[in-house]
């Protein structure tokens, strides 16, 4: 970290963003990563990963009682996903805005789901819904050595 960033350290959050199997199969990986990269958050983790059923169930455990839960687990484990950890002030809510509403038909144009998807069951991307879940999900999907703390060369041009 640069010294001038230390003052805002306590507001720094982390969020777990995942390109779901449909996003990978449709060749949208670069497009989706670009949107977060250009926005100005800091990438701290990135990998292509075939998700085991138990991990998908743990990740979505709050939705266990929903009728669509079995379909959701089948969807998330149907092919490789791209796991990402992003860090920054306000990154959790901002990532959710970039992603758009759960139902892509209701998602605003300009958002990832609004631009690139049509169905809730194929909505191409996940983003944590709170800073607490951001931390929980990053710990769930990444091992320690897989995360990387670094200072982007453009830091002083992004952060005052
Ligand atoms: P999110 O935070 O916007 O991803 O939405 P939720 O946390 O409510 O749901 C998690 C994921 O479950 C969504 O992104 C969808 O992939 C899936 N999902 C939610 N609701 C439905 C539904 O009614 N039908 C189906 N097939 N999938 C759903
Ligand atoms: Mg959610």
């Amino acid at each position: 970290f640069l010294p001038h960033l230390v003052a805002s350290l306590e507001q720094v959050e982390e969020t777990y963003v995942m390109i779901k199997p449909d996003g990978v199969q449709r060749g949208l990986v670069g497009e989706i990563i670009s949107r977060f990269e250009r926005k100005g958050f800091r990438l701290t983790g990135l990998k292509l990963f075939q998700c085991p059923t138990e991990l998908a169930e743990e990740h979505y455990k709050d939705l266990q009682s929903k009728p669509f839960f079995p379909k959701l687990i089948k969807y998330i484990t149907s092919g490789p996903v791209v796991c990402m950890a992003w860090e920054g002030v306000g990154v959790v809510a901002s990532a959710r805005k970039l992603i758009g509403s759960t139902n892509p038909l209701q998602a605003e144009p300009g958002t990832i789901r609004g631009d690139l998807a049509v169905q809730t069951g194929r909505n191409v991307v996940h983003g944590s819904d709170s800073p607490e879940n951001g931390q929980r999900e990053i710990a769930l999907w990444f091992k320690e050595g897989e995360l990387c703390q670094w200072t982007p060369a453009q830091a002083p041009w992004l952060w005052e």
Side-chain angles (χ1 to χ4, degrees), residues 20 60 63 68 71-72 75 96 102 113 120-121 123:
K20 297 178 179 180
Y60 282 122
L63 300 174
F68 59 81
K71 274 203 302 190
L72 173 59
Y75 164 45
R96 297 273 294 184
T102 305
R113 288 168 174 167
T120 302
N123 61 4

Side-chain angles (χ1 to χ4, degrees), residues 62-104:
D62 290 351
L63 300 174
Q64 229 156 14
S65 61
K66 302 282 184 190
F68 59 81
F69 187 73
K71 274 203 302 190
L72 173 59
I73 299 307
K74 207 172 162 202
Y75 164 45
I76 295 302
T77 57
S78 64
V81 295
V82 173
C83 310
M84 288 179 271
W86 289 93
E87 199 177 276
V89 176
V91 69
V92 173
S94 179
R96 297 273 294 184
K97 272 194 184 173
L98 291 175
I99 288 168
S101 302
T102 305
N103 180 345

